[in-house]
Amino acid sequence: MNSPTPAATRKNTPTASLTDPSGKTIELPVVNGTVGPQVIDVRKLYGATGLFTYDPGFTSTASCESKITYIDGDKGELLYRGYPIEELAEHSDFMEVAYLILFGELPKAEEKAKFVSDITHHTMVHEQITQFFRGFRRDAHPMAVMCGVVGALSAFYHDSLDINDPHQRMIASYRLIAKIPTIAAMAYKYSVGQPFMYPRNDLSYAENFLYMTFAVPCETYKPSVVLTRALDRIFMLHADHEQNASTSTVRLAGSSGANPFACIAAGIASLWGPAHGGANEAVLKMLSDIGSKERIPEFLARVKDKNDTVRLMGFGHRVYKNYDPRAAVIRRDCYEVLGELGIKNDPLLDLAMELEKIALNDRYFVDRKLYPNVDFYSGIILKAMGFPVSMFTALFALARTVGWIAQWSEMIEDPEQKIGRPRQLYVGEARRPYVPMEKRA
Ligand code: CMC
């Protein structure tokens, strides 16, 4: 797996001057990436001036170097290892994209076959994990189960916990990518009281996931080609997205030397929030709360009201200030999937399309460059496929595991890697003496 070229080794970098409040001027290197904005390397700032930078939410801060994914938010462009997401979604498949994200190049035929075979032969989970599941309440949210079970993998696979051993790192990576669909499907089966279905190694990654989720032992089940392809594409679209909240969480957790299973569990926890991966679930809830096209204006008035916390879920993105390219792909797939399933007029899709049309022409959204993101449509497809709403974010986590693992490996292999330790602007009380109980006001 591929590590970045450290900024420190780059020669002849231009500089930016900074004059601190005492009048002292220092030169800070300005570093070029391959494409995208340059960065000011502020690592020497504190030593030279005693100043920190302040950037809550990292709106202007690059936290690492990476060669994996590039987003141009103004153009609405997403590249995995340089390849546009639209081309990958059209011509590739999830296993090939996983290989690309992990190793940096598209695989040759024999490389792909070996990779698929290696992943496929890690799909079963330790049998004792089935016992572990039984400790959860039946109504537990699948993401709660995923956080717990994925974290617990570190208690089962002691032979792949040494992060300093490249072979163990690779085995842990393969195990995570292979077992996460099994765990997600088990979370679903447990919630509906059906028996766990063991993985089938004669099926493709997406097909096997559909099988483990929807098959039952008493009937034969053949996943449809259209649904398998649509799910595989959903996995490709969600595979990585550079330094988003969950990926940054994985990197930060991993920076302390924590094992990869624990780091991915941390990523799952971060993804769960409605501002991130939880948005696909929130979109469906929002659409059913709105209920009908007539109620859209009333809903949008609430969204625009500063005193109301309601947001148009599935709209807006920290980086994309244009149409999310993933949303464009998934929007087309929506029609194909609903067609395959014989759903002619889906009220939720109709409502979503109307909402999209109105929002894209509304000054509030236009001025703030708020466009539909991937989550606006993914929930509609997943619901049509038969996944319960509570599984949507679990599916996102399944696909994103590839990106998390690749980003984690890149960090471990980066010679400049340090434990992540942000500083703060302290605004609390200055030092003061302890006040005995009887003297407290
Ligand atoms: N609905 C209404 N107003 C919005 C929305 C929205 N969905 N998103 C942003 N705004 C407004 C916001 O109120 C603010 O307006 P003003 O300047 O008047 O105060 C302005 O747009 C900028 O918003 P922000 O919160 O500073 O933007 P951010 O970059 O911090 O937030 C976001 C990005 C994704 C958290 C936000 O757009 C949001 O909450 N969207 C809805 C949740 C969602 O769909 N999330 C999925 C993201 S894509 C999948 C993934 O990668 O996880």
Side-chain angles (χ1 to χ4, degrees), residues 167-181:
H167 182 67
Q168 291 200 30
R169 286 204 301 272
M170 195 181 69
I171 298 292
S173 303
Y174 281 25
R175 279 184 168 147
L176 276 155
I177 295 166
K179 293 182 200 308
I180 199 111

Side-chain angles (χ1 to χ4, degrees), residues 3-20:
S3 56
T5 315
T9 63
R10 295 191 176 134
K11 302 275 184 296
N12 305 323
T13 46
T15 58
S17 305
L18 182 135
T19 305
D20 75 10

Side-chain angles (χ1 to χ4, degrees), residues 120-121 123 198-205 207-208 211 222:
T120 304
H121 287 96
T123 48
Y198 285 90
R200 266 186 46 196
N201 289 355
D202 59 323
L203 302 178
S204 73
Y205 193 86
E207 226 176 357
N208 180 46
Y211 167 81
K222 178 85 189 100

Side-chain angles (χ1 to χ4, degrees), residues 184-240:
M186 287 170 85
Y188 171 69
K189 286 299 197 195
Y190 186 71
S191 73
V192 291
Q194 290 181 2
F196 297 137
M197 297 299 288
Y198 285 90
R200 266 186 46 196
N201 289 355
D202 59 323
L203 302 178
S204 73
Y205 193 86
E207 226 176 357
N208 180 46
F209 180 63
L210 285 168
Y211 167 81
M212 290 188 294
T213 306
F214 295 120
V216 286
C218 43
E219 279 176 20
T220 45
Y221 173 83
K222 178 85 189 100
S224 110
V225 174
V226 172
L227 296 196
T228 303
R229 176 71 190 143
L231 188 63
D232 194 72
R233 217 182 250 150
I234 289 176
F235 291 163
M236 283 192 265
L237 296 178
H238 287 85
D240 194 48

Side-chain angles (χ1 to χ4, degrees), residues 364-437:
Y364 177 93
F365 298 96
V366 174
D367 289 350
R368 289 169 181 75
K369 300 188 174 158
L370 301 171
Y371 292 88
N373 59 52
V374 67
D375 290 320
F376 193 69
Y377 299 102
S378 60
I380 295 169
I381 297 201
L382 295 174
K383 181 170 177 293
M385 284 178 171
F387 289 103
V389 174
S390 61
M391 277 296 286
F392 293 179
T393 315
L395 269 93
F396 192 156
L398 185 168
R400 185 56 58 84
T401 295
V402 165
W404 288 332
I405 275 294
Q407 300 267 355
W408 171 82
S409 300
E410 186 180 67
M411 179 200 64
I412 302 282
E413 289 165 20
D414 184 346
E416 299 203 337
Q417 189 267 327
K418 283 185 183 346
I419 185 166
R421 178 46 171 102
R423 303 307 300 261
Q424 62 174 3
L425 175 65
Y426 177 69
V427 293
E429 296 290 345
R431 185 186 175 103
R432 52 184 175 162
Y434 179 78
V435 182
M437 183 74 81

